[in-house]
Amino acid sequence: LPIIREGKTYLKGEWKEKVFGNSHPIIVELGCGKGEYTTGLARMYPHKNFLGVDVKGHRFHKGAREAQRDGLTNVAFLRTRIEFIESFFGKDEIDEIWLTFSDPQPQDKFGVRRMTSLLFAQKYRSFLRTDGLIHIKHDNPEVYRKALLEFGNDQRYNIEMHHHDIYSGFTNTLDEELRMALEIRTYYESIWLKEGRETKYIRIRQIQ
């Protein structure tokens, strides 16, 4: 199970060949935490490659250990700061991005530290293919509101769907693949749902 350390940019443009050994699509989870979502998606979709990225390797150690235990060959992890993420991938190398419960940064008015902001999306554009997807799953109402506002006002993106409370029946309206992906629940999401928080979702397509 590959775990790539910060600074190893030599894989840029060669993840499929050198890490995964196939030509399948690559989906990255930025700010993957314990790696629960990355490994959950990898179990569901063996014909896709999944890469979890986080600044702290001890966070995704649990997910890496589980992936290794379960023999998941379509999973890898990268330790780096998301601010430097464009250094690690080539143009059009990534097919989808998942942003799951990333730090909401409530004091960050301009989005310079908020991973769901349009400013960070500028970094993602350097490696997310045209027609690629950005998935935002979060419990914070402001993260949801700001993402809808910022991406909704930018002609380079199309908000394909969104909902403020996905478990209120919304997932039942989706195709099976997306429903299964959204119903993966991390340890902390399960706690937050018990506290009465609502899980929100936005699917954004990069069109230019």
Side-chain angles (χ1 to χ4, degrees):
L1 177 71
I3 297 178
I4 314 302
R5 303 301 179 186
E6 185 173 11
K8 301 296 184 181
T9 60
Y10 59 86
L11 291 169
K12 186 173 183 176
E14 299 184 293
W15 283 87
K16 290 181 181 180
E17 176 186 353
K18 290 188 175 179
V19 175
F20 296 108
N22 58 54
S23 59
H24 300 162
I26 300 178
I27 294 87
V28 298
E29 183 190 4
L30 301 178
C32 69
K34 295 182 178 182
E36 298 161 289
Y37 226 92
T38 299
T39 54
L41 289 170
R43 289 188 184 95
M44 290 182 181
Y45 311 116
H47 299 300
K48 294 182 180 180
N49 302 313
F50 294 89
L51 179 65
V53 183
D54 204 280
V55 67
K56 295 184 179 180
H58 72 268
R59 287 179 179 169
F60 58 65
H61 178 72
K62 179 178 183 291
R65 188 173 62 236
E66 289 181 0
Q68 191 170 42
R69 180 199 66 197
D70 296 344
L72 298 176
T73 60
N74 61 332
V75 180
F77 290 93
L78 168 66
R79 180 171 67 83
T80 190
R81 297 180 64 86
I82 306 302
E83 290 91 334
F84 307 141
I85 193 63
E86 68 267 39
S87 300
F88 293 87
F89 305 114
K91 180 176 173 56
D92 298 328
E93 189 167 20
I94 302 304
D95 293 84
E96 298 181 31
I97 295 171
W98 281 82
L99 303 170
T100 52
F101 303 100
S102 53
D103 189 342
Q105 296 286 343
Q107 305 304 318
D108 181 14
K109 293 182 180 180
F110 302 106
V112 296
R113 295 184 300 277
R114 184 170 20 93
M115 289 165 46
T116 56
S117 75
L118 201 58
L119 282 178
F120 267 84
Q122 290 291 96
K123 297 179 182 292
Y124 309 153
R125 290 180 66 81
S126 69
F127 55 83
L128 180 66
R129 67 175 175 82
T130 302
D131 203 41
L133 292 172
I134 299 174
H135 305 267
I136 298 174
K137 187 180 179 187
H138 217 289
D139 66 304
N140 186 283
E142 278 301 289
V143 167
Y144 178 70
R145 184 188 68 80
K146 288 177 180 177
L148 287 177
L149 179 64
E150 292 177 7
F151 286 95
N153 289 329
D154 194 308
Q155 294 183 350
R156 296 170 298 179
Y157 301 95
N158 178 40
I159 296 177
E160 293 189 333
M161 65 176 66
H162 66 91
H163 201 275
H164 70 283
D165 184 7
I166 64 172
Y167 300 125
S168 63
F170 173 72
T171 56
N172 296 330
T173 68
L174 304 175
D175 63 78
E176 183 179 9
E177 182 170 318
L178 181 56
R179 178 185 59 78
M180 290 174 62
L182 286 180
E183 288 181 349
I184 297 173
R185 298 186 185 182
T186 66
Y187 170 77
Y188 287 110
E189 183 187 3
S190 297
I191 292 176
W192 295 332
L193 288 171
K194 289 179 181 179
E195 293 176 355
R197 301 191 200 182
E198 298 172 343
T199 297
K200 301 150 196 339
Y201 172 68
I202 310 173
R203 186 171 79 182
I204 303 162
R205 189 175 297 274
Q206 181 172 278
I207 57 177
Q208 294 181 24

